Amino acid sequence: MSVEVDDVTRDGDAMDSTGLSGDSESRPSADAILARLSELRAGDAPTHGGHVLSYVYDSGLAELDELAGAAIAAMQPVNGLDPTTFGSVAVLEREVIDFMRDLLGAGPTADAADDQGDREVVGSVTTGGTESCLLAVKTARDLWRLGGGSGTPRLVAPVTVHAAFQKAAHYFGLDLDLVPVDPATGSCEPSAIIGRLGADVALVVISAPSYPFAALDPVEQVAAAAADAGISCHVDACIGGLALPFLPDLPPWDFRVRGVTSISADLHKYGYAPKGASVLLHRGRGRLGAQYFATTRWPGYPVVNPTMLGSRSAGPLAAAWAILHRLGRDGLARLAEDTMASTRELLAVVERIDGLRVIGSPVGPLFAVASDPRADQGRQVDPHHWADELRALGWLVQLQPSLRQGEEILPHTTHLTVTPVTSRILPELSAAMVLAADRVRGIPAVDPLAAMAALGGDPAAVVDGPLPERMAPLIALIGALPAETSEGLLTELLARLANPTRPSADPVLPGQ
Ligand SMILES: Cc1ncc(COP(=O)(O)O)c(C=O)c1O
């Protein structure tokens, strides 16, 4: 669950405490406003120092944060909507795309046979992984229709594909065809994906690597089959795109692979940029054209948008651009190598913990941990009790619910994303991982029925009151409830956090 909020944000009076909503005489000073902001930020999970092993990507280099902050300030008033008015935006975007396509196996083609730009890799900077994924799907759908496809197209992907593709299928009207993965390894057989390809498939998506289990999907086999069938093939490298290029001995997964038609890679993950920067690259200028939306059919200014937004900040683009220039390939490589050294060490720590196991063979600086079925029942460590115990010790890791795929269940796991700064706290983190396991070894996983009983038999009770200290019961409920129910409850929970009225007012549960 992606909630890390201090209770202060659930306090209906929070906005009044500096008089922000008072009359003109009692307006707070700039200092008071900023003091309030610092107070709120102090209640957040720490973004630096390595205690949060998801959401944030701390390079450990304060210099990069300062550079990014200055770049954002320099671009603050600019509107990224129009690079003809703000030429700086076009230059920054060009340079970022050029760097990224080179990194992802596709330098500029000076190829005479490519005079239409069919093979040249081009793209856009977007506001994040989700926007890159959404646009990859929209582009493929539009190209499928242009190619004569009619009716509802299908999007084929392993079940581990990021939820952004579920959102894209929902937004853009595709049927999602999710392929099961091996519950023990989190990996998917190429034949299982290839067997689903057909004329109604607008896009097949594979990940490098997948977020839940860090599995590197079989890019070469799937992309080749997609190319033979004339189907678009997207590699989601949102999390791996700026880390995997520096790892030795991986099978090719980027534009060097025939049949890969687009790749997403997030600058705000292992590119260490502040949130709001990702790239979506396409093989061929024609494909990029299908990503754009343009209209001259209204009485206002001609609208030509490469991405989902209209007016947009150029700040994160400028910050990402500045960081790429400062680090260069060699700087990124050094950070990736440090991060991988920490990852290997943490994997070894988990392997030594009696009762826990790592899922599959993770590729890149992330991994998921499950209880070890080879250990006796009394020695097993439930990964969610372990996560809650780690949280009590000051380390935030991410709880992933179990998921039914057909007849099988993908186990509930705990996810860790490792960053360069992790190397500085490895001894403390490793000791905490061992201690947390010792404290919960043998405690059975939360029984969803017991979690339900604790709520008085009504799961809707989770939306009342403060966020729970321990997340295991809530995540067990999420794994057990029908998806429509858990999605409705979580929507309510999150909507209330941002609702200025008191939390108990206006229930918005679907069906009420
Ligand atoms: C593989 C993958 N794709 C897409 C996304 C979505 O990225 P964002 O959170 O930037 O929208 C993520 C985020 O972790 C990811 O790991």
Side-chain angles (χ1 to χ4, degrees), residues 355-357 359 369-375 380-383 411-413 445:
L356 279 181
R357 76 181 162 111
I359 297 269
V369 175
S371 69
D372 187 351
R374 295 164 305 186
Q380 286 185 8
V381 174
D382 176 70
H412 64 289
T413 55

Side-chain angles (χ1 to χ4, degrees), residues 57 127-133 160-165 207-212 236-240 264 266 268-269 275 277-278 366:
Y57 297 78
T127 55
T130 297
E131 191 183 19
S132 292
C133 299
T160 43
V161 76
H162 194 275
F165 290 93
S207 303
S210 73
Y211 183 82
D236 181 13
C238 278
I239 198 151
S264 46
D266 289 356
H268 66 200
K269 293 192 171 76
K275 294 296 177 225
S278 167
L366 53 152

Side-chain angles (χ1 to χ4, degrees), residues 222-238:
V222 172
D228 292 345
I231 296 170
S232 299
C233 174
H234 179 78
V235 175
D236 181 13
C238 278

